[in-house]
Every structure is written in structure tokens, then in C-alpha cells.
DNA sequence: CGAAAGATTGAGGTGTATCAAGATCAGTGG
DNA sequence: CCACTGATCTTGATACACCTCAATCTTTCG
């Protein structure tokens, strides 16, 4: 299990909390934060809910290991994946200011999260200089990330979307210290399709086609990036 | 000009700053805010830029009258409208934490904005109780709004998108105290198309079709809502 | 008034959805 | 251990919604 982290390493925290946004450098200073609030660790089995939409909002959740998807419900009741979150990223920020969570959060694999009680975070922000700005920056980064995906989804055809998705996954993989050339997709084709706003058959076809062109190789959820440059070109062009 | 506000009314401020999000109730307490920072008023002609992407970020902008569009640039250089903002809404929050603005903002009609210098806002937030939470809530609301549109854009076909767009416009119109049944679209079909991620011809056709069904009547940019319930049904179904 | 921009409508092509059938894998229990 | 079941993934054939290209008409503004 190359993705699981030794729990003993959680004592010392030279960590930064990254926003999901691609190409963003804003991050929370966890070291400063942890001196001012008590975090609760929680373990989750694959498929288990971190929280449900509608549950009372009390805390932000920092992913310590593993990965999650967040999903909303359309008016007619279908599920729609709004984001994938991995180690070092925050879940729940979009629920700030609401009484309850605005989305569902589900573990894609066995994972561990840290609960950051929101009132405590706010109190800490008042004391720790710079934390306020960092929180604002993290929220703004989340907005930019969403905008960035809206841009992609509205501009690009199905295949480039999949290419862009792979590039994003690779980049985040690299940020966590893993290989950007070889990684495992933790989510199903259906989840990817839902996130990219296409059908899962189309995702399959796109992946197959990208493999045919030797940009990548795919075997089920295992992805190898053979030609990163080619992928990037694919993701901007039509 | 039913949308322009008498400038003399700007002295007293029983105002709230609304997030763009549909069905959200978070807002800034402007009265408290204005006691702690100096706002600069700016007037803008239709088509004029409030700011360009890349310009140094110094302030948030509160729309006092008129309306704006914000737009980003895709990798291949095409413009994409990311949001429409009207009276009482904030522009520029997505640029917090960056050195420069992340998007362009253009006036859709003759408008007036108030500049809220960001450092001053942050200082005020430290003094005014509750302001901190309000700012967070406003940012989070922006995220939810984007998510909500992502959901719509990815789920709905062209015509329901246009219906949803009209419903949103009507709701915001109502919030400003104007009629939700009769309003003027301040943006071109091209802008609407760009925002909804469809072609402008498709927007035209959708509007015509909605009019054929007597849900609305359209003449150029003037819209009358004849059957709000029907529109709503249209916007959730396929 | 004339030119340019915006809006509407039509005809035909393309990409993705839809429907359907197999293939592969994970988990379960006999 | 293997058969069995359901979930996930892949691939194919067809249909349809939207895009593309194009013409016409209206409005706006110099």
C-alpha cells in the first residue's frame, strides 16, 4: 500500500495543507494551527461516508491519507461528483457559513482524516498572525479551482477532458511525492464520468484512444503516462 | 432606466452585500464595514473594464449599481464568461491570496462600483466581531454557487440550462427589489452562451422555444416570465 | 444614413449519448 | 478450490442533440 502513511509520522507536522486547485501555491500553516486547536483523528473504510449532506457542520476535515470524493445531488436526485480530494487537502470548506454540510464526502479507499473544529479554527485565526489570510487564500483557491474546471468542462470535448483529468491527477500525485508517470486511479469510471460530465462509456473510449496513440497505457485503474507533452497538447486543443 | 439607483441614496447604507449564490442568505454587514475603511467610488461606462486579469490585486469591488460580467481565458485564448454580477454583489474575491486579479471584469451597462481595499478589509475583520465569519461565509457561498452551476451545466441539456439561467436572473432581480416577472437581460446572447457553455444560436433557439410554449415572452433582451412554475419544471427535467 | 454588431432561423454534419452485449475482476459461499 | 454473483469495464451500432456554416433581419451607433 504505497499510499498509506505510517501513523507514527503524524506527531511531527512539517506539513502544508494544499488547496485542490491545480497550479496554486496557497497553503495552510498546519504547524501553527495545531498549537491552537485539538484535532480528532478518524479512520474510514473504502466507501464509508466522512459526512453526509445535511448533517450539522462543525468541522473542516484534513485528509491525512487515502482519498475521498465529494458529491452533490441534482434536483432530480442523481449524484454528481464535484471533486476528488487527496492527502493534504481540505474537505468541507464549501459548507462554511451554513448550518449543515453542502455535500457528501465518501472515502475512495481506506483513509484517515483529521477533524479541525471550525470554531476552534476561527479562534486560532484571531491569534495567529497570517492564518487569517491563509484561510482566505485557501477558500479563494478553491473558487479558482472550480472556475478552472468549469472552463475546461465548457470548452473541451470529451477526450481532452480526460487528458486534462489525468494531467491533474499526475500533478497532485507528484505533489504528494509519488510518481507522476505511474499511478492508480482510486475512483471508478463512473465517478470520473460524473466529475467530467460525460458518460462512463465515453471515459473508457477516451482512455482506450489515448492508449492507442501511446500517450498513456491503461490497465483497469493503473495508469502510466508515456508522453506527458502529448497529453498536455491533447488537453488544450479540441 | 429602471435599474439605475439615485446616487443620493448611497449616503445611508441599510445594505447587505449578497453572494452571487442562488438560494444563499449569507451577507456582509456593510454598515459595520464602512465605519472601518474608506471606500472609493468608481463610475464605469458600458463595456469598460473594472479590472483586467493580471493587474495587481488590491481591492474587492462591491457593485453599487449596474452589472458586470467576469471572464477568464482558456488556454487557447478564447474568452469564457465565469459569472454575472449585479448590485450588492462582490467582485474579485477569487483573486484573494494572489498577487493579481484572476479574471477580467467588464461593465455590461453604465455602472458604479465601490472599492474595498483588501488590507483594510482584513484589518476591519480583526476588530469587528462577526465580520470574519461573514467574509468566510461569503467566500464559501461563492464556492457553492460555482458548484451549483457546475452541477447544472453538467447535468442539463441546452434548453433547461437557459430556463435555469432565467430563473436565477429572476430571483436576483427580485432580491434587488425589482420584478421577477419582467426584466431586461443586460448581457448579449454570446455572453449567455459562453456562461452556459453552449453556442449563441442554441441560446436563441431555446428562448424562442420557451416562448413558443408560453413559459416566457422574449423580445430581444426584454424577458417576461409568464409561467414560473413551468419554467422551473423545465429546468430540472431533461 | 450607412456600417457594424447582435439576434433569429434554417440545413446539414459531428460528437456524444443511448442501448446492448461481452469481458474482466472482486467478493462470497459451497 | 472453484463455481457463482454482482460490479466494473470495454467495445460496438445506432440515434439524436448540438455545433457549424450560412442567410436574413433588427438594432445600435458613429
Amino acid at each position: 500500500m504505497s499510499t498509506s502513511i505510517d501513523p507514527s509520522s503524524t506527531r511531527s507536522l512539517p506539513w502544508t495543507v494544499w488547496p485542490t486547485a491545480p497550479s496554486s501555491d496557497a497553503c495552510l500553516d498546519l504547524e501553527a494551527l495545531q498549537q491552537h486547536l485539538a484535532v480528532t483523528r478518524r479512520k474510514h473504510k473504502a466507501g464509508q461516508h466522512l459526512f453526509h449532506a445535511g448533517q450539522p457542520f462543525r468541522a473542516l476535515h484534513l485528509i491525512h491519507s487515502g482519498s475521498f470524493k465529494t458529491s452533490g445531488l441534482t434536483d432530480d436526485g442523481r449524484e454528481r461528483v464535484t471533486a476528488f480530494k487527496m492527502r493534504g487537502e481540505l474537505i468541507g470548506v464549501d459548507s462554511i457559513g451554513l448550518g449543515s454540510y453542502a455535500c457528501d464526502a465518501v472515502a475512495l479507499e481506506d483513509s484517515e482524516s483529521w477533524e479541525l473544529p471550525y470554531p476552534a479554527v476561527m479562534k486560532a485565526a484571531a491569534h495567529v498572525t497570517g492564518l487569517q489570510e491563509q484561510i482566505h487564500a485557501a477558500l479563494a483557491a478553491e473558487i479558482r479551482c472550480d472556475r478552472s474546471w468549469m472552463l475546461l468542462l465548457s470548452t473541451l470535448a470529451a477526450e481532452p477532458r480526460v487528458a486534462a483529468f489525468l494531467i491533474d491527477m499526475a500533478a497532485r500525485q507528484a505533489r504528494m511525492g509519488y510518481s507522476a508517470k505511474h499511478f492508480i486511479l482510486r475512483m471508478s469510471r463512473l465517478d470520473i464520468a460524473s466529475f467530467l460530465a460525460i458518460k462512463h462509456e465515453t471515459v473508457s473510449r477516451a482512455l482506450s484512444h489515448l492508449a492507442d496513440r501511446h500517450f498513456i497505457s491503461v490497465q483497469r485503474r493503473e495508469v502510466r503516462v508515456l508522453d506527458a507533452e502529448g497529453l498536455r497538447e491533447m488537453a488544450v486543443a479540441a
Side-chain angles (χ1 to χ4, degrees), chain A:
Chain A
M1 297 299 111
S2 62
T3 55
S4 78
I5 305 296
D6 180 350
S8 67
S9 73
T10 64
R11 204 71 61 84
S12 64
L13 292 170
W15 263 40
T16 48
V17 181
W18 295 96
T20 318
S23 73
S24 172
D25 53 354
C27 60
L28 290 186
D29 183 352
L30 238 205
E31 227 165 327
L33 202 64
Q34 71 160 348
Q35 297 174 2
H36 290 265
L37 55 84
V39 304
T40 312
R41 296 206 209 160
R42 295 174 57 187
K43 291 199 177 276
H44 312 271
K45 287 254 163 239
Q48 201 180 333
H49 276 254
L50 178 51
F51 53 76
H52 290 266
Q55 282 183 345
F57 167 74
R58 300 202 204 294
L60 304 177
H61 304 265
L62 169 61
I63 304 176
H64 180 261
S65 70
S67 49
F68 292 79
K69 67 173 174 182
T70 60
S71 59
L73 231 53
T74 60
D75 294 307
D76 56 340
R78 276 173 310 203
E79 187 201 31
R80 173 68 219 288
V81 174
T82 53
F84 297 109
K85 301 281 188 175
M86 22 217 270
R87 176 187 157 202
E89 296 171 349
L90 276 175
I91 303 188
V93 293
D94 59 333
S95 306
I96 291 176
L98 291 178
S100 51
Y101 286 107
C103 63
D104 284 41
V106 182
L108 293 171
E109 57 189 313
D110 292 358
S111 306
E112 185 180 340
S113 70
W114 290 1
E115 265 190 25
L116 312 178
Y118 182 62
V121 171
M122 289 301 287
K123 253 206 321 225
H127 298 314
V128 183
T129 49
L131 185 53
Q132 199 56 253
E133 278 85 352
Q134 285 169 23
I135 293 174
H136 283 197
L139 285 167
E142 192 91 4
I143 295 173
R144 288 194 297 274
C145 176
D146 287 356
R147 293 265 161 90
S148 170
W149 277 113
M150 280 177 72
L151 215 74
L152 279 176
L153 296 186
S154 61
T155 309
L156 300 182
E159 200 168 308
R161 284 187 209 187
V162 174
F165 173 75
L166 291 176
I167 290 170
D168 181 53
M169 291 305 287
R172 288 158 76 182
Q173 212 69 19
R175 199 174 58 187
M176 295 193 303
Y178 303 133
S179 169
K181 301 235 161 264
H182 178 213
F183 51 87
I184 309 288
L185 297 173
R186 298 296 172 180
M187 67 295 290
S188 72
R189 298 284 191 269
L190 265 166
D191 286 334
I192 300 175
S194 176
F195 178 68
L196 294 180
I198 49 185
K199 299 291 136 178
H200 70 277
E201 296 98 323
T202 307
V203 174
S204 255
R205 277 186 248 271
L207 287 172
S208 299
H209 195 230
L210 289 173
D212 289 346
R213 294 193 178 191
H214 304 291
F215 292 138
I216 59 173
S217 78
V218 199
Q219 249 157 341
R220 213 83 177 158
R221 299 194 178 183
E222 186 177 5
V223 174
R224 252 171 238 280
V225 177
L226 306 176
D227 180 0
E229 196 45 51
L231 253 195
R232 216 170 309 277
E233 281 170 29
M234 180 101 293
V236 293

